[in-house]
Structure formats: C-alpha cells, structure tokens
Amino acid sequence: RRRHTRSLCDWSSDVCSSDLKTVLAIKDSGNHGIFQVKENQATLLEDCRLVAHREPAQDVYRQPPQKAHGRIEARTVTVWNDFQTTDSQWDGLFSTLICVERQRSRKNTKSKRWEVTEETAWFLSTCPLGAEGAAEAIRSHWGIENRSHHVRDTAFAADARSEEHTSELQSH
C-alpha cells in the first residue's frame, strides 16, 4: 500500500480485529492508523457517541454526491481532535474521533422508486486529521479492501467451478 502524506495515516483496520499490541506496535514503529469502532467495542463506541453529542466538531467535510453502480452516495465526515476514552486500555492511544455519515439512494427497478439508506460509522485515528484527510484515508482503505475481496471472490469461485468440473469428470 502506498504511504500517504504526513497529514494522513498509514494504516487502517477495525479496532475489534486489532488488539492493544497491534496498535502499540504501529505507533512504536513511527506509523499511524485509523481503526473502525464497532458494536463489540461497547465502551469505545459509547465514548465516540458521547464526544460527538457533547463537544463541538473541529472540522466537517461534505463530499459531493457520487453516482456509481446504480446508486447515489453522499458522505459527511466530521472530526473531533484530542479524543479521550474512558476505557483505560486504550487511553492516550487515539487523538482523533471520526464520524462518517453515509446516505445512499438506490432506484428500485420493480417499484421505480428511490430507496434511501443512512449509515453512521465511527473511526479513531492515532494521528491528528482534518475531515477531508480522514475522508480520503478511509475511502482509499475501502478501495483496497474491495479490490482484495474481488480478487479472492473471483479466485474462490474459479476454484469451486474447477472442483465441480473435476468431480463431474471423475464420476464418468
């Protein structure tokens, strides 16, 4: 993966898939990371929601709506710097709270109506970020993730078809 400019982070993952040792290793190596906070990190997730509710945001970036794959997607990225958590094992490791609000509109081909879904995702960064820089770093991570899954999905589907064909030949 290419290294971002100094204002962006170098690595991203889910907090739930990263233990404390991983986060410390990333920081100790001089790198930074962005980690998604999910439901299984209840204390961190609650801290994220409380900070967003109580504190004024430092920066907000509204990405222009993007049309692709039969849908329109708009994102708003909001950041709070100097993030503090009440979970002592993570205390002092993260500096920026990031909230990504996504609104997707997709046309239902049967009903001919647009269906709108909204989603909020929470991230913590070990380095200070502005909203636009956070949006770019998170978006680039998902691009890499999606390409990786496409390659694996294609390879595994090809493997399954090959196995089916081999067993058909063996049964004759």
Side-chain angles (χ1 to χ4, degrees), residues 32-93:
H32 292 286
I34 297 175
F35 302 86
Q36 186 170 5
V37 182
K38 295 185 176 178
E39 296 292 330
N40 64 340
Q41 289 288 339
T43 303
L44 278 177
L45 186 58
E46 184 61 24
D47 288 345
C48 292
R49 291 175 176 153
L50 283 172
V51 167
H53 179 73
R54 294 180 180 167
E55 304 293 328
Q58 271 74 45
D59 195 15
V60 178
Y61 174 66
R62 288 178 179 78
Q63 289 182 318
Q66 298 176 332
K67 292 181 181 183
H69 309 290
R71 66 176 180 246
I72 301 170
E73 184 169 301
R75 293 170 182 254
T76 301
V77 178
T78 308
V79 298
W80 294 262
N81 293 313
D82 302 319
F83 176 78
Q84 300 292 316
T85 179
T86 60
D87 189 335
S88 60
Q89 78 168 338
W90 301 105
D91 190 39
L93 292 177

Side-chain angles (χ1 to χ4, degrees), residues 117-134:
T117 58
E118 295 180 348
E119 177 183 57
T120 301
W122 299 95
F123 298 85
L124 292 171
S125 170
T126 60
C127 61
L129 288 171
E132 189 172 358

Side-chain angles (χ1 to χ4, degrees), residues 11-19 23 33-42 44-45 48-49 75 90 94 96-102 104 119-126 138-139 141-142 145:
W11 199 83
S12 63
S13 178
D14 299 338
V15 171
C16 61
S17 68
S18 301
D19 60 13
V23 176
I34 297 175
F35 302 86
Q36 186 170 5
V37 182
K38 295 185 176 178
E39 296 292 330
N40 64 340
Q41 289 288 339
L44 278 177
L45 186 58
C48 292
R49 291 175 176 153
R75 293 170 182 254
W90 301 105
F94 302 110
T96 304
L97 167 61
I98 305 162
C99 177
V100 178
E101 296 171 293
R102 299 178 189 104
R104 291 186 187 109
E119 177 183 57
T120 301
W122 299 95
F123 298 85
L124 292 171
S125 170
T126 60
I138 292 167
R139 235 3 221 171
H141 168 77
W142 281 110
E145 187 85 7

